[in-house]
Structure formats: structure tokens, C-alpha cells
């Protein structure tokens, strides 16, 4: 009997970086589970990814434990287990205005989705991941390491996600490894639910300000995920990998 392809579950996988990761693993022959709250984006994936045997699409909210439990059970049943969890779901808009005007519900919603959602997904997938000696990859952000004004809720949620990552690595090793990725500026315009026929127009200065010479792409992040969940990375756990074209190492002063 032929060995089944490995199974990867990606939250927030219906567009943006998550969709790029899904495309990468489908191309590699993996079975891919995409969980996303955006039903419109999920529907678009049905058209964009025409490989029904290797793709499961689930509409759910990672901040609601009953929905997480149901989604994980469905994914594990469909895949006959799980090999990888990518916690990519998150509210992407970091600017919530001055902190003295920040409403508690705005703060709490970002913590619930960006951080608590990753905890809930890990909690319910770990029994399946242990059976396969699997891996968790959490999608953090360079905003966990540096900030612009008015981004307290987002920065706190992503900083917490990096801390959650190394805590998981200690608790779950050696059966399950956990790492995080902190992307910088990633152009996701071609990976949205209704992507334009022409990708977002970026200026020369947008690209040239990066020491790498260009803005990032979801494919750059997907390649790091692929490495982290591969056998070649068995000695790598509890780490945060910055993918930002060198921007967090760049010293910037106004003239």
C-alpha cells in the first residue's frame, strides 16, 4: 500500500501569505487543509486550487474553541492524521490609533485571533502531531521586534506568539517541534481572494530600501515554512526566523 502524502493545516490560508504557503505545499504533493473565517476567500480557493483530492477547505474562526475542535477533528479524519500546523490566521491591520482611544474590544479581538487562536489550534492539534512527530510554525511579525506608533495591540499579540513558540518547543519536544517566522513587508496583492490581474505596483524606492533589493513575496515565506517542517530541520526548534529583506538590521535616521 502506497504511503499517504503528509498533511498540513494552514489557518488564514485562503489568501495572502497563507494562500502562498498552501500553493507551495500543493505543488509539492502534500494534502492541504485551509481554515479561514472569510467564506468568500474560501470560495475563491475552490476555483484557484483545482486539486480536490488533496485539498480540504473549512470555514471557521480560530478564536472560538468549539469551531477549532470541530475543524481539527474534520481535518484529522480527512487526512488520517496531521503532520504540520501553520498558525497564520491574524488580523493584519496594525494601526488601532492612539492608545488612550483604543477600545478594549479592539485590543481583545487582536489578542483573541492573533494569539489565543494559535494557542487553541496548538492545543487541539498536538495529539495528532505527536503521532506523526510533526511540527508547528507560528506566523509572527517583525512588529514583534520593532514598532510604529499606534500598534500596541498588534505588536503585543505577535510578541506573545514568539513567546508561545519557544514555550511550545520546550513542552512538546522531542515529539513536536515549534518555530515561528516574522515576515516584514510582504506583497500579497497577487494572493488575495480577488487578486487584480496586475500585481500591486510598487515603486523603485519600495524595493531599493530593502538591503535584499526587493519587497518580499509569499513564496519567500513558504520556502522557509517548507524548510522548517522538513527532516533537514529536525535540530531546529523554539526559534524565530525574520524574513524581511534585512530591514530590521538597517540603521535608519532622518537627515
Amino acid at each position: 500500500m502506497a504511503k499517504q502524502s503528509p498533511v498540513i493545516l494552514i489557518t488564514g490560508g485562503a489568501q495572502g501569505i497563507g494562500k502562498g504557503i498552501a500553493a507551495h505545499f500543493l505543488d509539492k504533493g502534500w494534502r492541504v487543509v485551509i481554515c479561514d473565517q472569510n467564506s468568500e476567500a474560501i470560495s475563491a480557493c475552490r476555483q484557484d486550487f483545482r486539486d480536490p483530492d488533496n485539498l480540504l477547505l473549512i470555514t471557521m474562526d480560530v478564536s472560538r474553541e468549539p469551531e477549532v475542535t470541530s475543524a481539527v477533528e474534520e481535518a484529522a479524519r480527512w487526512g488520517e492524521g496531521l503532520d504540520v500546523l501553520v498558525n497564520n490566521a491574524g488580523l493584519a491591520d496594525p494601526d488601532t490609533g492612539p492608545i488612550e482611544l483604543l477600545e478594549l474590544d479592539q485590543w481583545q479581538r487582536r489578542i483573541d485571533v492573533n494569539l489565543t487562536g494559535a494557542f487553541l489550534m496548538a492545543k487541539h492539534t498536538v495529539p495528532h502531531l505527536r503521532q506523526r512527530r510533526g511540527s508547528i510554525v507560528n506566523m509572527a511579525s517583525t512588529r514583534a521586534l520593532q514598532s510604529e506608533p499606534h500598534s500596541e495591540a498588534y505588536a503585543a499579540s505577535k510578541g506573545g506568539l514568539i513567546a508561545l513558540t519557544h514555550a511550545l518547543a520546550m513542552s512538546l519536544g522531542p515529539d513536536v517541534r515549534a518555530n515561528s517566522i516574522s515576515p516584514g513587508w510582504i506583497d500579497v496583492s497577487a494572493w488575495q481572494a480577488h487578486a487584480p490581474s496586475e500585481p500591486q505596483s510598487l515603486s523603485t524606492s519600495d524595493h531599493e530600501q530593502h538591503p535584499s533589493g526587493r519587497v518580499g513575496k509569499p513564496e519567500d515565506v513558504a520556502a522557509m515554512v517548507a524548510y522548517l517542517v522538513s527532516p533537514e530541520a529536525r535540530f531546529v526548534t523554539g526559534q524565530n526566523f525574520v524574513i524581511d529583506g534585512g530591514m530590521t538590521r538597517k540603521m535608519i535616521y532622518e537627515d
Side-chain angles (χ1 to χ4, degrees):
M1 182 176 178
K3 182 180 179 181
Q4 290 273 35
S5 299
V7 181
I8 181 171
L9 189 160
I10 306 163
T11 66
Q15 55 187 337
I17 289 174
K19 191 173 184 179
I21 296 169
H24 183 96
F25 280 87
L26 283 169
D27 287 345
K28 288 167 67 72
W30 283 51
R31 289 175 291 164
V32 174
V33 182
I34 292 176
C35 296
D36 204 292
Q37 185 183 16
N38 189 323
S39 57
E40 185 178 357
I42 284 282
S43 296
C45 284
R46 297 185 195 280
Q47 304 300 318
D48 297 338
F49 296 141
R50 300 183 182 277
D51 193 357
D53 292 337
N54 278 354
L55 180 63
L56 176 65
L57 299 168
I58 303 174
T59 303
M60 52 86 76
D61 183 341
V62 296
S63 71
R64 299 181 182 276
E65 189 164 18
E67 294 186 28
V68 169
T69 303
S70 176
V72 171
E73 288 177 353
E74 181 180 354
R77 186 167 55 248
W78 173 80
E80 299 179 16
L82 291 173
D83 295 273
V84 173
L85 166 66
V86 178
N87 279 314
N88 174 73
L91 298 178
D93 184 5
D95 190 339
T96 47
I99 191 168
E100 63 268 31
L101 301 178
L102 176 58
E103 297 289 341
L104 180 58
D105 61 348
Q106 285 186 284
W107 165 276
Q108 193 62 56
R109 182 59 180 159
R110 280 161 178 76
I111 298 298
D112 287 347
V113 175
N114 296 4
L115 181 56
T116 304
F119 151 69
L120 290 173
M121 291 300 303
K123 173 184 175 180
H124 290 283
T125 58
V126 158
H128 304 288
L129 295 173
R130 276 202 177 105
Q131 292 179 13
R132 300 276 188 91
R133 296 186 69 86
S135 182
I136 297 172
V137 179
N138 293 323
M139 207 59 59
S141 170
T142 52
R143 291 175 182 271
L145 309 172
Q146 56 181 167
S147 292
E148 292 178 306
H150 312 317
S151 59
E152 285 78 10
Y154 188 87
S157 69
K158 294 299 187 177
L161 194 52
I162 291 176
L164 175 64
T165 299
H166 59 68
L168 287 170
M170 297 306 102
S171 298
L172 303 179
D175 295 332
V176 178
R177 294 181 299 109
N179 292 287
S180 62
I181 296 174
S182 288
W185 184 351
I186 306 295
D187 176 16
V188 298
S189 59
W191 294 92
Q192 300 303 91
H194 296 290
S197 56
E198 293 294 329
Q200 176 184 350
S201 178
L202 298 173
S203 69
T204 300
S205 63
D206 289 336
H207 291 292
E208 289 184 348
Q209 67 179 300
H210 289 75
S212 63
R214 66 169 174 83
V215 171
K217 304 174 182 178
E219 294 90 334
D220 298 317
V221 181
M224 177 57 79
V225 174
Y227 166 70
L228 289 175
V229 305
S230 72
E232 287 78 9
R234 287 299 308 177
F235 196 55
V236 181
T237 193
Q239 305 303 311
N240 178 57
F241 294 85
V242 176
I243 300 180
D244 70 343
M247 287 299 288
T248 53
R249 294 303 189 191
K250 183 178 179 181
M251 188 178 293
I252 303 173
Y253 292 98
E254 293 183 11
D255 293 330

